[in-house]
């Protein structure tokens, strides 16, 4: 079945409850009269409540209505916040440079409003030293505490130890800030600078 409403001559009922172009209630009228009014206004007769008895129809510009509905749906999708869980894998004996690199990724993910699953991978004899992984996870959590918090405490999972960090900032806030920063960068590239206030010269 089509999700689109029936319009004009596709409406097959003897009478309809008619709503005018500005939302005013016209009342129950024969279908032929409703179609006649639609022609007079140069609008479409659109069935907006098919299950009502009689069905409710409205006089509107259906093409414009469809376009506006599509734009609203697109905007809603753009602003919809999908919290993503990113994953970062570390070794218990990670060197300082690698640690800083991985921490940088975690910082970026948290700034974007995403959760981060940190996995410490133990190999061989390292499995007998879980405290190494625990200390590393605690260190990382402390290093990024301004941006995120421990949502799921470190726990052993086979050869791995896992912790989940949650962002302080909501995804919607992060998206809004990113859009603002992008707009500012675009304005800067185009050479748009804020106007400086004119200096006032007092006469002696």
């Amino acid at each position: 079945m089509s999700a689109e409403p029936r319009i004009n001559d596709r409406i097959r009922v003897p009478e309809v409850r008619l709503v005018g172009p500005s939302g005013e209630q016209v009342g129950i009228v024969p279908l032929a009269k409703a179609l006649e009014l639609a022609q007079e206004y140069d609008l479409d007769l659109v069935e907006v409540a098919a299950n009502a008895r009689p069905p409710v129809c409205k006089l509107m510009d259906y093409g414009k209505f469809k376009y506006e509905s599509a734009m609203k749906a697109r905007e809603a999708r753009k602003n919809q916040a999908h919290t993503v869980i990113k994953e970062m894998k570390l070794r218990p004996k990670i060197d300082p440079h690698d640690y800083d690199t991985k921490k940088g990724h975690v910082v970026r993910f948290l700034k974007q409003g995403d959760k981060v699953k940190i996995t410490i991978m133990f190999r061989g004899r390292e499995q007998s030293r879980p405290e190494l992984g625990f200390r590393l996870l605690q260190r990382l959590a402390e290093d990024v505490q301004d941006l995120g918090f421990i949502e799921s405490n470190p726990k052993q999972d086979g050869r791995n130890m896992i912790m989940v960090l949650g962002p302080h900032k909501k995804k919607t806030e992060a998206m809004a800030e990113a859009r603002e920063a992008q707009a500012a960068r675009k304005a800067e590239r185009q050479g748009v600078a804020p106007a400086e206030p004119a200096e006032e010269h007092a006469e002696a």
Side-chain angles (χ1 to χ4, degrees), residues 74-87:
R74 184 179 167 190
E75 192 65 27
R77 281 196 302 273
K78 190 171 81 173
N79 293 328
Q80 200 169 9
H82 293 290
T83 300
V84 178
I85 297 183
K86 305 285 189 179
E87 186 168 15

Side-chain angles (χ1 to χ4, degrees), residues 86 107-114 167 169-171 174-175:
K86 305 285 189 179
V107 165
R108 179 163 53 86
F109 295 147
L110 291 171
K111 279 183 175 178
Q112 290 170 354
D114 294 321
K169 192 182 294 180
K170 290 182 180 176
K171 184 75 174 177
M175 289 169 67

Side-chain angles (χ1 to χ4, degrees), residues 14-193:
E15 58 185 16
V16 298
R17 185 178 296 278
L18 187 63
V19 178
S22 303
E24 70 277 13
Q25 297 290 329
V26 178
I28 296 173
V29 299
L31 177 63
K33 175 67 175 173
L35 287 168
E36 190 181 305
L37 284 169
Q39 280 191 331
E40 280 181 27
Y41 283 106
D42 195 22
L43 294 171
D44 299 298
L45 183 67
V46 182
E47 190 177 60
V48 292
N51 294 328
R53 291 290 176 267
V56 180
C57 294
K58 185 175 181 182
L59 297 174
M60 67 171 80
D61 181 337
Y62 186 58
K64 183 181 176 185
F65 169 75
K66 273 186 75 174
Y67 173 76
E68 288 175 352
S69 296
M71 291 301 289
K72 282 178 187 173
R74 184 179 167 190
E75 192 65 27
R77 281 196 302 273
K78 190 171 81 173
N79 293 328
Q80 200 169 9
H82 293 290
T83 300
V84 178
I85 297 183
K86 305 285 189 179
E87 186 168 15
M88 188 57 56
K89 295 182 177 180
L90 290 77
R91 295 292 309 284
K93 294 179 180 177
I94 189 168
D95 69 58
H97 175 72
D98 280 350
Y99 175 80
D100 289 338
T101 302
K102 301 272 187 179
K103 185 180 74 174
H105 291 311
V106 173
V107 165
R108 179 163 53 86
F109 295 147
L110 291 171
K111 279 183 175 178
Q112 290 170 354
D114 294 321
K115 296 182 182 184
V116 190
K117 176 185 173 184
I118 314 292
T119 303
I120 305 288
M121 300 178 297
F122 296 96
R123 290 180 188 166
R125 293 181 183 177
E126 291 173 350
Q127 293 179 64
S128 64
R129 301 287 306 279
E131 69 276 6
L132 293 175
F134 184 80
R135 282 204 296 266
L136 183 58
L137 290 175
Q138 288 295 109
R139 176 188 167 193
L140 181 59
E142 286 171 13
D143 285 349
V144 299
Q145 62 184 342
D146 290 344
L147 298 168
F149 61 96
I150 298 175
E151 188 173 281
S152 176
N153 285 312
K155 63 182 178 184
Q156 197 78 25
D157 181 18
R159 292 185 178 184
N160 300 329
M161 184 176 281
I162 293 167
M163 175 180 76
V164 177
L165 294 173
H168 291 312
K169 192 182 294 180
K170 290 182 180 176
K171 184 75 174 177
T172 46
E173 292 171 11
M175 289 169 67
E177 285 182 12
R179 282 199 295 272
E180 284 173 15
Q182 189 178 16
R185 285 196 299 271
K186 186 177 178 183
E188 198 175 304
R189 282 198 303 272
Q190 291 172 347
V192 180

